[in-house]
Amino acid sequence: AVLSLSFTDGQPQAMPLIQGVRNLAIQYRGQQASTTIVNGQVSFLLTLNYVVTPSQPGHYCTPPIRAVVNAQVLQAQPVHLTVTSAGANGNGPSAQARYAFLKLLVPKNRIYVGEVLPVETRLYVVDAQDIQLQPIASEGFTLGKATQPVQGQMQLNGANYATISTKTTAIPTRPGTLSLGPAECNLNLRIPVARQRPSGDPFEAFFNDPFFDQFANPFGRRVELRPAKLTSETQSIQVLALPTTNRPPNFTGAVGAYRLAVTANPTNVAVGEPVTLKIQITGRGALDNITLPPLDAWREFTTYPPTSRVDPTDALGVEGTKVFEAVVVPQNTEVKEIPSFSFSFFDPEQQSYRTLAEPPIPLIVRPSAAPQTLAALPVGPTPSGATASPQDIVSLKEHLGVITAPRPPLLRRGWFLALQGVPVLALLAVFLWRKREDHLANNPRLVRRQTAHRLIRQGLADLQNLATANDAAEFFALVFRLLQEQLGERLDLPAAAITEAVVDEQLAPRGIPPETQAALHALFQACNQARYAPTGSSSQLLELLPRVEEVLKELQTLEVDQPA
């Protein structure tokens, strides 16, 4: 369920305190602000949204919610919530479907062979991470390119979901009743869980001081990562064969709705000169699959295979123009025009074949120019007064010219001898580099340790800049990433798999000091709070920075044993 707190003409000085209710997980989901001007009167509305997730059926009532706005204490009435069992009425969603489900959407279930079918995969999720959409099962279909995922928001059955949609196309290749799908998605659900009760440990009390409390989740809630695999329903598609009645003889398999335009250039040529024929087919359909009918009937032309390109106008590539360019060469002066060109396709909307034709294009063909020959040079005595042609053969030189002393050979030059040592040095450098690469390849843990140390050194410098700039959101996001990298390196786990739960599940059984565990819990809670309700001033961030650095250095020197 969604709980919303709306404030008119004011905003709370701090996040309203909603006291915890047993078996209810209340999670902050963001805010919305709007300004309205009516007859010169300006009104401001601020809405804080929370997701309320019950873990048990029953009737719940939240205590009165108080907030300080403009130095006044405002109080909202208690909110009542009735929760029934998921299967009580026979059609309730499963426990997993409350948090996420997947749909495969198609506009229609009856199409023709070769017709383009738009397909949308839409994920509904409350809160998750590491989302990986898998390819759609498509036996009997050819899938087109997929668009980039688009995020949105949607309210369904009284709950707010974040949506992630990606679109593609499916073209059936054979008739019959075919199954499209299912679509699949792998992800980690973020399920709210209650915080554990204090254990009385003095170190835990130290790290739960007021300084850390300002960054902790005000509702005292944590989240648990639960891996899930979502599967959509399969769409049954009835694919019809293209009719054989009234099929045009020049039909090449195009299905859709198109327009035709034909141009030629130049239209005044000599025999044997090429003419470029440009054919544009514009419309909606499988543009990549369109082919031209053969031009074999053009007996008075020499034709060459056409080239083609597709200029799409939409993200899926099913609307646009396919351009063909073919070279034709007229063979005689009797040619007066380029013949009429026609193109046939099947229109699935009208359920019939259509033929488009362009009229002949006038063409002027001139006789080819006479070949040019070179004039022969005169042979025989030169007429009086004429200039004699130069001799074809020049006589040998009678004098050698100036003789210079030869240069010393390369083997006697110092720079040449020094140059011979370059390959030896290069070979030695390659040998040392290869030894180092082999050493690193045999020690992946060493490579990861060096990489993690470099990342943390750079990250600590970036944290200093973010704290000075009072960028709390980026500050805690970077703290969370550094903790993931360092814990992942120590535990030899992927960094993306590191969460707060790892502290209790992996570190505690390995004999890690309790003070280190408490410090890690405090930092993880501060990062979770900053994700949903950023708070903290620049001075507070600078004050937190030495603690972050101390915990990271402690983890670097920590020897992690195998669990007992």
Side-chain angles (χ1 to χ4, degrees):
V2 178
L3 173 65
S4 298
L5 303 181
S6 298
F7 300 85
T8 304
D9 297 332
Q11 59 183 9
Q13 297 179 1
M15 185 69 64
L17 179 60
I18 304 179
Q19 297 181 4
V21 180
R22 187 177 181 181
N23 296 329
L24 282 187
I26 305 176
Q27 187 177 11
Y28 177 71
R29 291 292 294 175
Q31 63 183 25
Q32 297 174 337
S34 62
T35 303
T36 306
I37 303 177
V38 179
N39 296 328
Q41 298 293 327
V42 180
S43 178
F44 175 76
L45 178 64
L46 174 66
T47 302
L48 305 180
N49 296 317
Y50 302 82
V51 172
V52 181
T53 306
S55 59
Q56 295 292 336
H59 182 78
Y60 300 91
C61 178
T62 65
I65 303 173
R66 296 180 177 84
V68 180
V69 180
N70 298 331
Q72 294 183 352
V73 178
L74 304 182
Q75 177 174 310
Q77 296 298 322
V79 178
H80 298 269
L81 177 65
T82 301
V83 180
T84 59
S85 175
N89 51 10
N91 57 6
S94 65
Q96 178 175 284
R98 292 182 303 166
Y99 298 101
F101 57 93
L102 191 65
K103 285 188 175 182
L104 187 64
L105 306 175
V106 295
K108 55 184 179 179
N109 297 85
R110 186 175 183 270
I111 60 175
Y112 285 89
V113 172
E115 183 179 354
V116 176
L117 178 67
V119 181
E120 179 182 358
T121 304
R122 185 181 299 171
L123 171 66
Y124 297 79
V125 62
V126 175
D127 193 6
Q129 66 184 45
D130 305 327
I131 298 173
Q132 297 179 355
L133 290 172
Q134 305 299 323
I136 302 173
S138 56
E139 184 178 358
F141 292 87
T142 299
L143 294 183
K145 64 180 181 180
T147 62
Q148 292 295 326
V150 177
Q151 299 183 4
Q153 297 285 337
M154 183 174 293
Q155 190 174 52
L156 191 64
N157 296 329
N160 284 340
Y161 289 92
T163 61
I164 300 178
S165 300
T166 181
K167 297 181 179 179
T168 186
T169 57
I171 302 176
T173 58
R174 65 173 188 265
T177 302
L178 305 181
S179 295
L180 182 62
E184 294 182 350
C185 177
N186 297 324
L187 73 167
N188 286 325
L189 296 174
R190 295 173 56 86
I191 308 299
V193 296
R195 182 194 293 182
Q196 298 177 355
R197 296 181 178 275
S199 60
D201 192 335
F203 291 101
E204 179 179 0
F206 172 76
F207 284 101
N208 285 332
D209 62 11
F211 177 80
F212 283 104
D213 287 343
Q214 61 183 320
F215 300 109
N217 191 318
F219 311 115
R221 302 295 180 184
R222 300 177 183 176
V223 294
E224 174 187 352
L225 291 182
R226 296 183 187 175
K229 181 177 181 180
L230 306 180
T231 303
S232 71
E233 295 181 352
T234 301
Q235 295 289 344
S236 179
I237 308 297
Q238 183 182 2
V239 182
L240 306 177
L242 296 179
T244 57
T245 306
N246 299 326
R247 178 180 293 182
N250 65 340
F251 175 70
T252 59
V255 178
Y258 304 101
R259 303 187 305 274
L260 176 66
V262 180
T263 58
N265 185 54
T267 56
N268 188 338
V269 296
V271 173
E273 291 183 353
V275 177
T276 300
L277 193 65
K278 187 175 182 180
I279 304 170
Q280 293 180 313
I281 301 176
T282 304
R284 176 180 176 84
L287 298 175
D288 288 330
N289 298 338
I290 295 178
T291 58
L292 293 181
L295 304 179
D296 298 340
W298 295 19
R299 301 298 182 184
E300 298 179 334
F301 290 85
T302 299
T303 60
Y304 296 91
T307 61
S308 64
R309 73 176 190 273
V310 176
D311 299 328
T313 58
D314 69 329
L316 295 175
V318 298
E319 293 186 4
T321 302
K322 188 164 188 176
V323 181
F324 295 90
E325 289 189 357
V327 174
V328 296
V329 181
Q331 297 301 303
N332 55 69
T333 58
E334 302 299 324
V335 177
K336 302 300 181 184
E337 61 185 19
I338 293 178
S340 173
F341 180 84
S342 61
F343 171 72
S344 299
F345 61 93
F346 181 78
D347 190 338
E349 298 296 331
Q350 299 183 5
Q351 301 182 7
S352 63
Y353 291 98
R354 294 180 56 192
T355 299
L356 306 176
E358 286 289 297
I361 301 175
L363 184 66
I364 299 174
V365 182
R366 297 176 275 102
S368 61
Q372 298 181 355
T373 59
L374 297 176
L377 295 175
V379 179
T382 303
S384 61
T387 304
S389 61
Q391 297 180 3
D392 291 337
I393 300 177
V394 181
S395 60
L396 298 175
K397 297 182 72 174
E398 299 179 359
H399 302 283
L400 297 178
V402 180
I403 299 177
T404 59
R407 297 182 179 181
L410 292 176
L411 290 176
R412 296 178 59 183
R413 300 184 188 183
W415 64 268
F416 181 78
L417 294 176
L419 189 62
Q420 307 312 306
V422 174
V424 178
L425 295 177
L427 182 61
L428 180 60
V430 171
F431 175 76
L432 295 176
W433 173 81
R434 183 62 183 179
K435 293 291 290 182
R436 178 179 179 274
E437 291 295 316
D438 292 342
H439 176 69
L440 293 178
N442 294 329
N443 295 273
R445 292 293 300 274
L446 175 61
V447 176
R448 184 173 184 184
R449 184 181 303 114
Q450 293 175 352
T451 303
H453 287 181
R454 287 196 300 270
L455 179 62
I456 289 174
R457 283 198 302 269
Q458 181 61 38
L460 291 175
D462 294 340
L463 285 177
Q464 180 72 32
N465 297 331
L466 293 173
T468 305
N470 196 20
D471 192 347
E474 292 296 331
F475 179 89
F476 284 103
L478 182 54
V479 169
F480 189 79
R481 182 188 173 192
L482 294 180
L483 290 174
Q484 284 185 314
E485 292 292 340
Q486 187 58 68
L487 286 172
E489 183 272 323
R490 291 284 82 189
L491 297 174
D492 196 18
L493 294 174
I498 300 300
T499 62
E500 185 180 356
V502 171
V503 178
D504 296 329
E505 297 173 359
Q506 299 285 343
L507 293 181
R510 298 172 188 252
I512 302 304
E515 56 270 19
T516 303
Q517 298 180 37
L520 287 172
H521 276 303
L523 289 176
F524 273 113
Q525 292 172 13
C527 292
N528 290 335
Q529 165 62 17
R531 178 181 302 170
Y532 301 108
T535 58
S537 62
S538 177
S539 60
Q540 292 172 336
L541 297 178
L542 289 173
E543 185 178 348
L544 179 61
L545 184 57
R547 300 193 183 188
V548 176
E549 184 175 0
E550 180 182 353
V551 171
L552 290 174
K553 288 184 178 179
E554 232 177 88
L555 291 176
Q556 289 179 351
T557 59
L558 199 59
E559 292 297 334
V560 180
D561 300 326
Q562 293 298 325

